[in-house]
Amino acid sequence: AQSVTQPDIHITVSEGASLELRCNYSYGATPYLFWYVQSPGQGLQLLLKYFSGDTLVQGIKGFEAEFKRSQSSFNLRKPSVHWSDAAEYFCAVGRSNDYKLSFGAGTTVTVRA
Amino acid sequence: EAGVVQSPRYKIIEKKQPVAFWCNPISGHNTLYWYLQNLGQGPELLIRYENEEAVDDSQLPKDRFSAERLKGVDSTLKIQPAELGDSAVYLCASSLVGGGPSEQFFGPGTRLTVL
């Protein structure tokens, strides 16, 4: 079965600074990878996804992620964070032959002025 | 386009009481999911519907949880009786196709507190 590890439980970053959130997955074949964001009291919103092709994926809100097969990683980045980026971020992995998504435990991002 | 609608948003009940959550998916989405999200954790799938059929309920605790999607549109998740450990956020999601890991659209969730 596939699984996801998000090593950082909580990250604090200054507004305007860069952000990188780590995600490592475990899956034998090519995974389908997702990053979701969850603001307080809200549902999960898809930031970006990787199915195949270019390993650098652009998403909404200025986020991007890079798939590195050799490291089993799919790290999320943003060059300059805004206060509105404070939220919880979830990495998820799916398999090509079924619908199931396995989510990581999430990383909480705090943005300080 | 309206998103996934869930109600109520918050529910506080005493243990051993029943509770029900309602979900209306995005129009045209044939696949509906119910997830459980414990504090500090990612969502975990409880049940998945393809139209009216529950195609995966392997993670649903059937002794106290039940779900239905009678007309293949909206869905209800019920807990009877509720236990303290059921306090969590219950998320509903929908997608267009269920045969692969297509994008799932999530509702805002129902936060359940069992006292």
Side-chain angles (χ1 to χ4, degrees):
Chain A
Q2 69 269 35
S3 66
V4 175
T5 301
Q6 293 182 247
D8 303 304
I9 297 173
H10 189 199
I11 286 180
T12 298
V13 61
S14 297
E15 191 169 16
S18 63
L19 174 68
E20 182 168 14
L21 303 182
R22 296 184 290 165
C23 172
N24 294 101
Y25 67 89
S26 174
Y27 179 54
T30 300
Y32 285 27
L33 295 161
F34 304 79
W35 273 102
Y36 283 86
V37 61
Q38 186 177 33
S39 298
Q42 302 297 314
L44 281 71
Q45 180 185 20
L46 182 69
L47 286 175
L48 46 79
K49 60 189 176 185
Y50 172 78
F51 286 2
S52 65
D54 192 345
T55 56
L56 185 62
V57 180
Q58 301 298 319
I60 62 171
K61 303 186 180 186
F63 285 92
E64 67 177 23
E66 186 171 14
F67 171 57
K68 292 186 177 180
R69 183 188 302 276
S70 61
Q71 298 177 18
S72 297
S73 69
F74 188 56
N75 295 349
L76 181 71
R77 299 192 293 255
K78 185 169 184 177
S80 177
V81 299
H82 186 262
W83 64 266
S84 60
D85 293 322
E88 191 156 19
Y89 292 80
F90 293 93
C91 181
V93 61
R95 303 184 297 194
S96 59
N97 59 346
D98 69 37
Y99 63 91
K100 288 187 176 181
L101 292 182
S102 294
F103 286 85
T107 298
T108 300
V109 173
T110 298
V111 180
R112 60 186 175 209
Chain B
E1 176 182 277
V4 176
V5 179
Q6 290 188 247
S7 68
R9 293 292 312 276
Y10 304 91
K11 189 73 176 180
I12 301 174
I13 60 171
E14 299 279 336
K15 63 180 180 181
K16 302 185 181 180
Q17 294 300 305
V19 64
F21 315 125
W22 177 80
C23 172
N24 185 254
I26 292 173
S27 178
H29 283 194
N30 62 327
T31 305
L32 184 146
Y33 313 75
W34 281 104
Y35 286 89
L36 167 68
Q37 185 178 21
N38 286 306
L39 186 65
Q41 299 296 319
E44 299 172 22
L45 182 69
L46 288 172
I47 188 169
R48 177 177 75 101
Y49 282 92
E50 292 279 357
N51 299 306
E52 302 88 0
E53 183 182 1
V55 294
D56 184 356
D57 62 357
S58 58
Q59 301 303 311
L60 190 72
K62 298 180 184 63
D63 57 336
R64 298 183 300 106
F65 286 66
S66 64
E68 61 183 15
R69 194 185 184 198
L70 293 177
K71 297 182 178 179
V73 180
D74 54 353
S75 176
T76 302
L77 177 69
K78 298 178 182 178
I79 308 175
Q80 183 172 8
E83 297 179 351
L84 295 177
D86 297 330
S87 296
V89 176
Y90 293 82
L91 294 166
C92 179
S94 68
S95 65
L96 270 174
V97 292
S102 56
E103 179 179 351
Q104 297 181 22
F105 294 81
F106 285 81
T110 296
R111 180 176 297 275
L112 173 67
T113 301
V114 182
L115 303 176

